[in-house]
């Protein structure tokens, strides 16, 4: 049996959840996808986190700095341009990746483009997917 490895693109909101709320996002994603993953962050997301780590409110700045350190040692960085949201859509579509977001506007865009997505079900504090 051949195992599929899924690439999974994370947006800023999902990455920050790991460090603001202490949610084990990566573990939940692996559970939902049910296969090994390659975590990916598009370059504009890195830029956004760098800005937030310098200019964000203290809690967000700290979480952004922690997220950056975590990404650098655990994620692949995807070359992309445009806004952070545009880059998540572009990388997900180009490589057939699953997108992870907590941004409802971005989730709606991903759904309209038939991109598989994982998002936070706020009422349950758990991630859910829009695919089987």
């Amino acid at each position: 049996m051949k195992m599929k490895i899924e690439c999974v693109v994370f947006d800023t909101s999902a990455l920050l959840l790991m460090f603001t709320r202490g949610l084990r996002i990566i573990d939940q994603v692996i559970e939902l996808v049910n296969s090994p993953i390659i975590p990916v962050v598009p370059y504009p997301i890195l830029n956004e986190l760098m800005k937030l780590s310098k200019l964000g409110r203290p809690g967000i700045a700290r979480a952004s700095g922690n997220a950056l350190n975590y990404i650098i040692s655990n994620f692949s960085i995807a070359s992309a341009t445009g806004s952070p949201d545009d880059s998540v859509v572009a990388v997900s579509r180009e490589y057939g990746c699953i997108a992870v977001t907590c941004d409802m506007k971005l989730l709606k865009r991903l759904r309209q483009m038939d991109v598989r997505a994982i998002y936070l079900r706020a009422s349950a504090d758990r991630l859910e997917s829009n695919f089987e």
Side-chain angles (χ1 to χ4, degrees):
M1 186 180 106
K2 228 167 103 178
M3 180 167 296
K4 182 167 179 12
I5 297 174
E6 291 280 3
C7 77
V8 180
V9 181
F10 290 79
D11 85 339
T12 305
S13 64
L15 293 163
L16 288 177
L17 263 189
M18 289 196 273
F19 299 97
T20 57
R21 306 254 297 272
L23 293 181
R24 299 182 60 94
I25 299 293
I26 302 288
D27 293 344
Q28 288 187 42
V29 167
I30 290 169
E31 200 176 297
L32 282 169
V33 173
N34 198 20
S35 75
I37 67 165
I38 297 170
V40 177
V41 171
Y43 201 75
I45 299 287
L46 268 187
N47 285 338
E48 186 174 44
L49 287 167
M50 282 181 221
K51 270 189 213 134
L52 287 170
S53 72
K54 292 179 180 78
L55 307 171
R57 294 188 316 271
I60 295 296
R62 193 170 36 258
S64 299
N66 290 337
L68 280 169
N69 290 333
Y70 185 73
I71 288 163
I72 287 163
S73 41
N74 296 288
F75 283 62
S76 294
I77 310 302
S79 165
T81 56
S83 74
D85 283 3
D86 289 348
S87 72
V88 169
V89 172
V91 171
S92 298
R93 291 189 73 190
E94 186 173 344
Y95 300 105
C97 300
I98 297 166
V100 182
T101 184
C102 303
D103 176 333
M104 288 304 124
K105 215 168 76 190
L106 177 56
L107 179 61
K108 189 176 172 194
R109 264 180 80 186
L110 292 163
R111 281 182 169 147
Q112 287 169 340
M113 297 182 167
D114 289 326
V115 172
R116 293 173 299 158
I118 292 174
Y119 53 93
L120 183 70
R121 169 64 66 203
S123 58
D125 230 18
R126 296 245 348 126
L127 296 180
E128 278 184 13
S129 66
N130 68 353
F131 58 89
E132 284 309 309

